[in-house]
Each structure stands twice: as structure tokens, then as C-alpha cells.
Amino acid sequence: GEVTVQQPQIAIAQRGAVFNFDDLMKRFAAGDTTTTPEAPVEPVDFRFENLRISNGVIAYTNQDVDAELKLINLNVECPLVSSGDPKEFYRFDFGLDKGGKAKGTFLFDLSTLDYRTTYALDSMNIGIFFPYLADYMRTGNLAGLFTSHQEVAGNFTRPTEVATTGMMRMNGFALTDPKDEKLFGLEE
């Protein structure tokens, strides 16, 4: 069957090492309280076609530095998830509420834990990272547009063995002091 989720909204909040969903993780990660059946259980066959998330929003807030990152117009498609096929292919695209957009694909093999993703992140406003500078330096503003087109491949059981190829570019980078005097700048 088909499954479509329209306009889901997810809010993630963090303060220190604590997230707003930690209580749920703790509750559902509790030990198995079910008894083991005596007879072997046959695996359940399933097949889902055309899984979609349409126009979703994911908002992440770091309460320690009052920073928010919001993915908007999030769309994800997966043509097939099946017990008979360990490979899953996803296509995604989204915008960032403070500037930028991304699109790409993700291929995951459940039998080997190999993955491959190709993405294009265009004109992401790096000003979203400004609140994180406060602990390290007194600054007035951070500006620039970051673009990255990459292909990344690896295996989840070997996180240090990742292969990547592509390009990265920064346009209009500027860092100013508290009086808004330019400390450092770079056009491209």
C-alpha cells in the first residue's frame, strides 16, 4: 500500500545534553518484557510502495545559545520498503527558513549497512551559526552563503571509512566585531 504524511511538524529542543524527547527514548528503550514464544515465529512479509512526506517542517532549537535551525517544505519519497528487498532508495528536498535549499538522494542497504548519498546544498545562509560564536569570540555578525554538492558513500559499521567527492564554495563571507567593523571578509 501507499503511505503519505502531509505537513508533519517536528520540534526538537536541546538544553545541554538533554533533548525534549529523551523521556520517550528512555521509555521505549526499556528492556524487553515479553516472553519468548516456544515455537519459532515466521518473519512477517511486508511491502510499502510510494512512501511520502509532503511539506514537512523540522525545527531544532538549541536553548543554551538561543539558536534555531528550521527545515521547511520538507519532501521525502521512497518508492519501496519491502521485507523482500534490503535496499531502500530515498529522494529528498527542503528549504531552510533563513536562506538556502537542498535536494538529493539516499540509498541504504539494510543487509550490508552500506549507504550512498548525493546532495546539492545551495546558498545556505551561514548566519544561522552566529549564536555558536559567542562562547569563543565577541562578534557582531556572521554572513555568507555556503554551497556544497557532494556524493558520500560508506558503511554504518565502519564510520571512519567514508568516501566523498564534490565541491564546496562560500560566497560573501563576512565576520564583524561588536561595532559591526569587518574583522574578516571573502567574496568567494
Side-chain angles (χ1 to χ4, degrees), residues 79-161:
L80 177 66
V81 174
S82 170
S83 59
D85 185 356
K87 293 183 180 175
E88 296 178 2
F89 176 78
Y90 297 87
R91 182 174 290 110
F92 61 87
D93 64 86
F94 58 87
L96 296 157
D97 73 323
K98 293 185 174 68
K101 60 183 178 178
K103 66 179 179 177
T105 61
F106 183 75
L107 175 64
F108 181 51
D109 188 328
L110 290 164
S111 65
T112 64
L113 299 182
D114 289 336
Y115 65 89
R116 176 176 303 275
T117 186
T118 302
Y119 72 87
L121 174 63
D122 291 310
S123 300
M124 179 184 74
N125 178 354
I126 65 166
I128 60 175
F129 300 111
F130 177 71
Y132 296 95
L133 293 178
D135 288 343
Y136 302 101
M137 62 191 328
R138 289 182 17 204
T139 57
N141 193 25
L142 174 65
L145 300 176
F146 179 70
T147 295
S148 175
H149 297 185
Q150 299 286 321
E151 182 173 335
V152 181
N155 184 285
F156 282 116
T157 62
R158 299 183 305 278
T160 59
E161 299 175 20

Side-chain angles (χ1 to χ4, degrees), residues 4-181:
T4 299
V5 179
Q6 295 184 352
Q7 300 178 330
Q9 296 192 16
I10 298 172
I12 301 168
Q14 180 182 8
R15 183 176 300 277
V18 178
F19 289 87
N20 61 330
F21 54 82
D22 283 349
D23 58 332
L24 294 174
M25 297 294 287
K26 186 176 181 179
R27 179 179 179 191
F28 292 109
D32 186 2
T33 59
T34 60
T35 57
T36 305
E38 294 180 20
V41 176
E42 291 295 318
V44 175
D45 288 330
F46 60 88
R47 181 181 179 93
F48 295 101
E49 297 179 15
N50 301 320
L51 301 172
R52 287 186 184 90
I53 296 173
S54 176
N55 292 318
V57 174
I58 299 176
Y60 164 76
T61 303
N62 183 326
Q63 296 171 338
D64 294 326
V65 293
D66 195 27
E68 182 179 69
L69 173 65
K70 189 181 285 188
L71 306 183
I72 57 173
N73 301 322
L74 173 66
N75 298 295
V76 181
E77 297 177 359
C78 179
L80 177 66
V81 174
S82 170
S83 59
D85 185 356
K87 293 183 180 175
E88 296 178 2
F89 176 78
Y90 297 87
R91 182 174 290 110
F92 61 87
D93 64 86
F94 58 87
L96 296 157
D97 73 323
K98 293 185 174 68
K101 60 183 178 178
K103 66 179 179 177
T105 61
F106 183 75
L107 175 64
F108 181 51
D109 188 328
L110 290 164
S111 65
T112 64
L113 299 182
D114 289 336
Y115 65 89
R116 176 176 303 275
T117 186
T118 302
Y119 72 87
L121 174 63
D122 291 310
S123 300
M124 179 184 74
N125 178 354
I126 65 166
I128 60 175
F129 300 111
F130 177 71
Y132 296 95
L133 293 178
D135 288 343
Y136 302 101
M137 62 191 328
R138 289 182 17 204
T139 57
N141 193 25
L142 174 65
L145 300 176
F146 179 70
T147 295
S148 175
H149 297 185
Q150 299 286 321
E151 182 173 335
V152 181
N155 184 285
F156 282 116
T157 62
R158 299 183 305 278
T160 59
E161 299 175 20
V162 176
T164 184
T165 183
M167 73 80 150
M168 290 186 249
R169 180 178 65 236
M170 178 71 71
N171 288 356
F173 177 81
L175 180 63
T176 64
D177 68 12
K179 295 180 182 179
D180 217 24
E181 297 289 327

